[in-house]
Amino acid sequence: LNSSRTEGGSNTAAAQAYAALAIKHICRGHVENQTAVADLGAVAQLCALIRPNTSAINHDSHERSQIEAEAAGALWILSEGHETNQTAIAGAGAIATLCQLLGSTFEGSQMHAGMALMAIAADSAPNLTTTTQTLVAALQRNPARGHEQKLAHLTPHLTPDRNPDRILTITL
């Protein structure tokens, strides 16, 4: 996942994207694999891949978008139904960056970021609050960017009991 290799040189954008994709598939539906991959340090590396200007500095915007999309997808699967990983991913600061990815021009980044946010918030009231506060703050900063639809789409999924009629009370 790292942009540089221990033996020297650097990984290509494709190598980083495929590594994140492989993690996503290895961990899908396998709690033991989710735990093992997180224990090996993948959470920090995947969070670095979705942060602007950190992992793919020399890659063009399309390559960067592919890396972000696959890293967000891996974070989604690592956090799905795994409370320890949800806490670790939120603790690594991924919620704010994933919320930013909702505004990406690359549809894959948008979708995987949204799914990751839902999974991170699914079993954790603090993560739910942080996610919702961050989304609402984004709406307040950029009301014309179309985040309203994304927030409306995500909100029913963000309630811990998946009840779309549940009202979220959030202090901003």
Side-chain angles (χ1 to χ4, degrees), residues 10-58:
S10 62
N11 284 319
T12 65
Q16 289 178 302
Y18 284 131
L21 178 65
I23 288 171
K24 183 172 78 172
H25 288 294
I26 288 167
C27 293
R28 187 182 302 268
H30 297 280
V31 174
E32 298 85 9
N33 290 353
Q34 288 173 299
T35 301
V37 167
D39 288 347
L40 290 170
V43 168
Q45 291 180 28
L46 290 165
C47 288
L49 288 176
I50 63 170
R51 283 193 197 99
N53 303 318
T54 57
S55 65
I57 295 169
N58 297 322

